[in-house]
Amino acid sequence: MTVGRGVLQGDSLSPLLFNMCFNTFIQHIKAEKYRQFGFSFKLLNPIHWFQFADDAAVITGQESENQHLLNRFSIWCQWSDMIIRVDKCSTFGIKKAITKSVQYLPKLLISTQLIPKITIGESFQYLGRYFDFHMSNDNHKTELTTLLNELMSDIDSKPLHPKNKLLLYSRYVLSKLAWHFTVATLSKTWVTENIDSIANKYIRRWLEVPISGTLSTVFLTNNKFGLSIYPPSVKFIQCQTVLRKVLKYSPNESTNDLWRATSNHTNIQYDAYNSTKEVLKDFRSGHENKLLNQLTS
């Protein structure tokens, strides 16, 4: 087959062709002699190569094993005529030092070029998720609070009717937070205390609700004299519910195993919901009962 030119920008055939080509390398490193290089989480099968489109993450127990996989990758790239952007790559290492683990700077090469190292104490980003030595979510928390403050402040400065400001919050702002709510390991308590408080501050300002006033009526549906909006914490629970359902009902058995391995006390609360609608219904039902108790007590 003679190739005359590449596919056009945005052509849906482009990722398909790339995956067909890259699959030859994936099949190659599935051999048993390479599988033993993998990193195992609890009782799951060892995994050493994560690939999403043209983004890859190589994880091994030993630095030498990682270098071996990179050498195989370099040889395959020469065969397939693919170019590796070493300047866009990075290395991150953790090793055992006597009785504790410490971060160190691994020395890994691709085609004789040294891969840039992640500075000790710093984090790196893969597919939008931040990773650091302590596996903290500080970067996500900082981005979330900064993003929400910027978006709400921008909406607040616009000469719009409060109803339209709430519409922007409901349809635009919450969707911008969804990615962090899905990939970051956050607690519902942290989201309620830090993210909800920012949103509620602007909602009170737009509706001229004093700090002593309740927002429970605002969160009800229109047919119950509410405004059909909800705080970011509800969006967070919805995102976690969707994530857990994807893991649980995935046709891939390894993904199902990941769901079982992560079914701890934190995630069980999200597994209790069958859909995002149930999350919203439960939230509004709680506020209805709260108002009912206040009116009848």
Side-chain angles (χ1 to χ4, degrees):
M1 181 176 66
T2 302
V3 179
R5 64 173 186 175
V7 295
L8 298 175
Q9 180 73 29
D11 194 321
S12 58
L13 186 61
S14 178
L16 179 60
L17 291 174
F18 177 85
N19 289 339
M20 288 174 62
C21 179
F22 202 88
N23 190 53
T24 59
F25 175 70
I26 296 298
Q27 295 303 316
H28 171 64
I29 60 175
K30 276 186 176 181
E32 188 61 33
K33 61 179 179 180
Y34 300 123
R35 292 291 294 178
Q36 63 183 337
F37 294 165
F39 172 80
S40 180
F41 175 74
K42 294 188 177 180
L43 300 176
L44 304 183
N45 294 326
I47 299 175
H48 54 41
W49 196 285
F50 294 87
Q51 188 74 34
F52 183 83
D54 59 349
D55 289 322
V58 189
I59 303 175
T60 57
Q62 300 292 331
E63 188 174 323
S64 59
E65 296 174 351
N66 204 297
Q67 184 62 66
H68 189 81
L69 285 171
L70 293 177
N71 291 341
R72 304 307 303 174
F73 183 54
S74 297
I75 294 172
W76 179 84
C77 286
Q78 292 175 10
W79 169 80
S80 62
D81 199 25
M82 287 197 179
I83 300 173
I84 306 173
R85 288 288 303 275
V86 181
D87 59 305
K88 297 179 68 175
C89 303
S90 60
T91 60
F92 181 87
I94 298 176
K95 65 179 180 180
K96 197 77 171 180
I98 308 178
T99 59
K100 63 179 182 180
S101 298
V102 296
Q103 184 182 347
Y104 77 105
L105 305 177
K107 184 180 179 181
L108 296 171
L109 306 171
I110 291 184
S111 303
T112 70
Q113 297 184 63
L114 184 65
I115 304 175
K117 307 177 185 70
I118 298 296
T119 307
I120 293 178
E122 296 297 318
S123 62
F124 69 96
Q125 193 175 20
Y126 177 63
L127 300 181
R129 175 72 161 89
Y130 287 101
F131 298 89
D132 59 24
F133 173 72
H134 298 287
M135 290 304 292
S136 67
N137 292 274
D138 294 341
N139 293 87
H140 285 289
K141 290 178 179 179
T142 301
E143 280 199 14
L144 266 172
T145 52
T146 303
L147 176 64
L148 183 58
N149 269 311
E150 289 178 352
L151 292 175
M152 297 298 277
S153 177
D154 189 34
I155 294 174
D156 186 51
S157 64
K158 297 290 188 293
L160 299 172
H161 189 279
K163 183 178 180 180
N164 292 327
K165 290 182 178 180
L166 289 174
L167 195 62
L168 281 172
Y169 160 77
S170 181
R171 297 189 179 182
Y172 178 72
V173 174
L174 291 178
S175 65
K176 297 292 287 185
L177 307 178
W179 174 252
H180 291 283
F181 283 165
T182 303
V183 301
T185 308
L186 305 171
S187 69
K188 178 184 173 184
T189 303
W190 183 87
V191 175
T192 302
E193 293 178 351
N194 295 273
I195 305 301
D196 280 7
S197 59
I198 297 173
N200 290 344
K201 179 182 70 174
Y202 284 95
I203 291 174
R204 287 181 182 278
R205 181 184 301 174
W206 298 337
L207 298 177
E208 298 182 359
V209 178
I211 193 65
S212 58
T214 180
L215 291 178
S216 292
T217 52
V218 175
F219 295 139
L220 299 182
T221 55
N222 291 324
N223 61 353
K224 294 184 178 179
F225 307 103
L227 295 177
S228 291
I229 61 173
Y230 51 88
S233 58
V234 175
K235 185 67 175 181
F236 169 72
I237 299 174
Q238 289 180 326
C239 291
Q240 289 297 307
T241 299
V242 171
L243 174 62
R244 298 295 297 169
K245 289 293 175 288
V246 169
L247 296 177
K248 183 178 181 179
Y249 297 111
S250 171
N252 187 294
E253 289 187 12
S254 296
T255 305
N256 299 150
D257 291 338
L258 181 60
W259 173 79
R260 296 187 189 94
T262 55
S263 293
N264 50 37
H265 64 282
T266 302
N267 293 322
I268 287 177
Q269 59 182 320
Y270 310 124
D271 292 335
Y273 296 106
N274 293 316
S275 66
T276 55
K277 289 183 178 180
E278 271 193 27
V279 176
L280 196 55
K281 183 179 179 180
D282 183 58
F283 167 75
R284 286 182 171 147
S285 176
H287 278 278
E288 286 180 27
N289 293 333
K290 180 182 176 180
L291 287 170
L292 185 62
N293 291 333
Q294 290 176 346
L295 292 172
T296 55
S297 59

